[in-house]
Amino acid sequence: MPIEVKELSYTYNEGLSFASAALSEVSFRVEDGSFTAVIGHTGSGKSTLVQLLIGLLKPQRGTVLVDGEDIFAENGGCRRARQKIGLVFQYPEYQLFEETVAADVAFGPKNQGLSGEELDACVADSLALAGLPAEEYGERSPFELSGGQKRRAAIAGVLAMRPKFLILDEPAAGLDPKGRRDLLELIRGVQKQRGSGILLISHNMDEVARMAEQVLVMDGGRLAMQGSPAEVFAQGEALRAMGLGLPAAAAFAERLRARGFALPPVLTTEDAAAALLKVWAGSRTRRD
Amino acid sequence: MLKDITLGQYYPCDSPLHRLDPRVKITAALVYIVSLFFVRDFPGFAYVTLCLAVLVALSRVPLSFLFRGMKAIFLIILFTFAANLFLTDGSVLWQLGFLRVTSEGLYRAAFMALRLILLIVGSSLLTLTTKPMALTDGIESLLSPFRRIGLPAHELAMMMSIALRFIPTLMEEADKIMKAQSARGADFESGNVLQRAKALIPLLVPLFVSAFRIAQDLAMAMEARCYRGGEGRTRLHPLKMRGRDRAAWILILLYTLILLVQAGWIVF
Ligand SMILES: Nc1ncnc2c1ncn2[C@@H]1O[C@H](COP(=O)(O)OP(=O)(O)O)[C@@H](O)[C@H]1O
Ligand SMILES: [Mg+2]
């Protein structure tokens, strides 16, 4: 189920003195089952973009095609898009409202018309995928969970709608390193087990380099760059000018290169270690 | 839907009205509101409307923005209009079953609706052109003479400013939660009254939780910065009357005089 974005533009408070163009002329395409990361500094329009993707905002110009269908068409296009695309907002734990975790997770599928055993199975499955087994957490109040658990409960609520595409807006913001790792595992698990496409907004370049197949770089409401992590992170200067950076390993390699080490492009710590070992081995054999 | 409520909202721009001292504007708004109840006929309303129109033009607030807030209270105006139209005794103009329109009713209905609209537009002009902080400073300063008789002027002003300050924050919060629930398939816009009321639960519960969280954070932040009430507190920008404020006082006086003469309260 590809999502195609065509010259999408959005302005908040159009026509008023404090109107601000949040998105201008953005076009891209993401494929079924693919992993796309969106990076860009605060205020560059990332959240606006993902809200447009499921029709929560109406664009002034441009459109979004989901499965080739215009989601802003009159006949309930955005309703169908919301069935296929799950959106996890920033700080999703603030949307929890039910008395029990299971009831909260059931909210989405219930709205889709699921009921009875099918509903229970769907809830249990999503909770398990989110790392909160239903037997242990299902009957607890969502308000008594820890921060990281609340967030995973909220994500389970979106997973329960069985989206073919999952969008996450800075899902790891404010989590500790373990919470962060667990969450990334969760996302990878969703992609593997369900074959869902993923669109992840993240400020963590290491994560992006490690996980994404395609990277979209937003700057001032425009799509500034687009390509594989290797292509995007090869442009360190341009990224820095946009207030972004490189993955730690890539930045490290860049410094070493500036000191005369001949290192190939690297993205992850593993790449960097391998490249360094090679250089080291080479220098040892030369000395021998 | 939620964005339509502009009550208490500030419209940022630079206009003669924005630059006035808040005390002048608050007094003017009070005088204006009271004056509406002295108006007795349509020429009087014409005069008030004209004055208001001049102020609106001076304020540079777009009409569309000003009237956006009216949509929310349109029902109240409609209800007042209908109640006056059908429930006033007098000479019958038109009758259908038990529904009866009298000429007095028509007059009263138009009168009340106009008064309500003028009331709302006039008072929203105050908050649209005055930053919440300035508004509170103005109220505190105007109320401070009454401190001697035990009126907690500072506390009242602080409570008001916090309430005003958090209207947009809570709206934003509500908007966010509404979007998040819509993404989960919630439907806030269709169904009968009961279904719609029930659909609000996923919005209201998180909103209350957020409100308490925000209140707690705010209290903590204020205490961390040693807030201890108004005693001995100084200001970064003390209020100061300028030439334009004195001119505005004279205009307020002039407005009141003309209105009182027009309504026959003062006879020369
Ligand atoms: N509800 C809103 N009303 C007005 N302006 C907004 C709103 N939400 C975002 N903006 C503005 O739109 C721009 C893009 O914001 P956003 O999409 O939230 O960026 P990001 O998620 O990349 O930080 C910013 O300049 C922001 O101030
Ligand atoms: Mg954002």
Side-chain angles (χ1 to χ4, degrees), chain A residues 12 16-18 51 54 56-57 79 82 85 87 89 94-97 104-105 107-108 111 143 157-158 161, chain B residues 9 11-13 62 64-65 68 173 176-177 179-187 201-202 205-206 209-210 213:
Chain A
Y12 285 100
L16 299 178
S17 71
F18 46 92
Q51 287 174 34
I54 61 166
L56 288 171
L57 300 170
R79 241 195 134 60
R82 283 176 207 174
I85 305 177
L87 173 56
F89 273 79
Y94 296 141
Q95 74 193 34
L96 298 168
F97 70 98
D104 202 281
V105 172
F107 179 67
N111 285 328
F143 297 104
V158 175
M161 299 181 70
Chain B
Q9 204 173 325
Y11 185 84
C13 77
S64 61
F65 194 82
R68 226 199 269 179
E173 200 67 29
K176 240 191 281 176
I177 298 167
K179 279 181 182 161
Q181 308 297 26
S182 303
R184 294 210 279 164
D187 186 358
I201 294 174
V205 173
V209 174
S210 286
R213 179 174 44 86

Side-chain angles (χ1 to χ4, degrees), chain A residues 41-48 50-51 90 169-170 201 203:
Chain A
H41 83 101
T42 310
S44 58
K46 306 181 296 294
S47 299
T48 307
V50 296
Q51 287 174 34
Q90 215 170 344
D169 192 349
E170 297 183 34
I201 298 181
H203 282 305

Side-chain angles (χ1 to χ4, degrees), chain B residues 3-110:
Chain B
K3 289 202 200 78
D4 292 343
I5 304 173
T6 51
L7 188 73
Q9 204 173 325
Y10 176 68
Y11 185 84
C13 77
D14 190 31
S15 81
L17 235 57
H18 282 75
R19 283 193 295 262
L20 276 185
D21 188 285
R23 287 170 291 185
V24 178
K25 282 189 274 188
I26 295 166
T27 314
L30 284 178
V31 168
Y32 169 82
I33 289 168
V34 173
S35 78
L36 278 179
F37 293 92
F38 281 79
V39 174
R40 293 205 280 212
D41 49 14
F42 283 107
F45 272 136
Y47 167 65
V48 175
T49 312
L50 183 75
C51 292
L52 187 63
V54 171
L55 289 182
V56 169
L58 273 178
S59 75
R60 302 213 183 115
V61 177
L63 280 182
S64 61
F65 194 82
L66 190 62
F67 284 105
R68 226 199 269 179
M70 303 283 293
K71 270 192 235 157
I73 19 200
F74 180 71
L75 262 180
I76 300 176
I77 295 173
L78 200 70
F79 181 76
T80 319
F81 186 82
N84 277 299
L85 189 62
F86 294 122
L87 300 177
T88 312
D89 282 326
S91 57
V92 177
L93 278 181
W94 178 82
Q95 186 152 16
L96 186 93
F98 68 96
L99 284 180
R100 200 174 41 152
V101 174
T102 63
S103 58
E104 284 84 353
L106 191 63
Y107 186 79
R108 273 261 289 274

Side-chain angles (χ1 to χ4, degrees), chain A residues 139-167:
Chain A
E139 292 312 309
R140 287 173 61 177
S141 159
F143 297 104
E144 65 185 33
L145 299 180
S146 76
Q149 288 170 337
K150 268 188 202 163
R151 186 161 305 178
R152 275 186 279 153
I155 293 175
V158 175
L159 291 178
M161 299 181 70
R162 314 204 139 249
K164 295 199 193 105
F165 213 99
L166 184 64
I167 303 177

Side-chain angles (χ1 to χ4, degrees), chain B:
Chain B
M1 176 176 116
L2 281 168
K3 289 202 200 78
D4 292 343
I5 304 173
T6 51
L7 188 73
Q9 204 173 325
Y10 176 68
Y11 185 84
C13 77
D14 190 31
S15 81
L17 235 57
H18 282 75
R19 283 193 295 262
L20 276 185
D21 188 285
R23 287 170 291 185
V24 178
K25 282 189 274 188
I26 295 166
T27 314
L30 284 178
V31 168
Y32 169 82
I33 289 168
V34 173
S35 78
L36 278 179
F37 293 92
F38 281 79
V39 174
R40 293 205 280 212
D41 49 14
F42 283 107
F45 272 136
Y47 167 65
V48 175
T49 312
L50 183 75
C51 292
L52 187 63
V54 171
L55 289 182
V56 169
L58 273 178
S59 75
R60 302 213 183 115
V61 177
L63 280 182
S64 61
F65 194 82
L66 190 62
F67 284 105
R68 226 199 269 179
M70 303 283 293
K71 270 192 235 157
I73 19 200
F74 180 71
L75 262 180
I76 300 176
I77 295 173
L78 200 70
F79 181 76
T80 319
F81 186 82
N84 277 299
L85 189 62
F86 294 122
L87 300 177
T88 312
D89 282 326
S91 57
V92 177
L93 278 181
W94 178 82
Q95 186 152 16
L96 186 93
F98 68 96
L99 284 180
R100 200 174 41 152
V101 174
T102 63
S103 58
E104 284 84 353
L106 191 63
Y107 186 79
R108 273 261 289 274
F111 206 82
M112 293 307 265
L114 243 168
R115 181 179 279 170
L116 260 177
I117 293 171
L118 286 172
L119 193 71
I120 293 158
V121 172
S123 41
S124 34
L125 202 57
L126 172 67
T127 52
L128 281 169
T129 61
T130 317
K131 284 188 187 140
M133 275 314 285
L135 201 60
T136 336
D137 287 353
I139 289 172
E140 188 175 345
S141 162
L142 286 173
L143 287 181
S144 57
F146 301 103
R147 259 209 309 252
R148 243 170 278 141
I149 57 165
L151 190 83
H154 171 80
E155 282 73 14
L156 280 177
M158 182 57 87
M159 261 156 52
M160 244 199 60
S161 83
I162 291 176
L164 278 177
R165 160 70 184 74
F166 280 99
I167 290 175
T169 308
L170 286 178
M171 296 280 204
E172 223 170 83
E173 200 67 29
D175 186 56
K176 240 191 281 176
I177 298 167
M178 219 161 158
K179 279 181 182 161
Q181 308 297 26
S182 303
R184 294 210 279 164
D187 186 358
F188 295 104
E189 269 147 27
S190 57
N192 59 32
V193 178
L194 205 68
Q195 284 166 330
R196 276 197 201 203
K198 243 182 106 185
L200 282 181
I201 294 174
L203 170 64
L204 291 180
V205 173
L207 192 60
F208 271 106
V209 174
S210 286
F212 280 109
R213 179 174 44 86
I214 291 169
Q216 216 156 25
D217 289 353
L218 178 71
M220 199 97 82
M222 282 169 78
E223 249 173 62
R225 291 198 266 167
C226 306
Y227 177 75
R228 55 193 167 86
E231 218 52 57
R233 209 165 164 225
T234 56
R235 299 187 180 289
L236 183 58
H237 303 292
L239 294 177
K240 208 167 133 218
M241 292 286 173
R242 289 165 211 280
R244 54 173 174 263
D245 299 313
R246 282 185 273 276
W249 285 123
I250 294 171
L251 286 178
I252 294 172
L253 210 65
L254 203 65
Y255 163 83
T256 318
L257 268 178
I258 293 178
L259 189 108
L260 288 178
V261 170
Q262 193 277 333
W265 292 86
I266 298 180
V267 192
F268 289 105

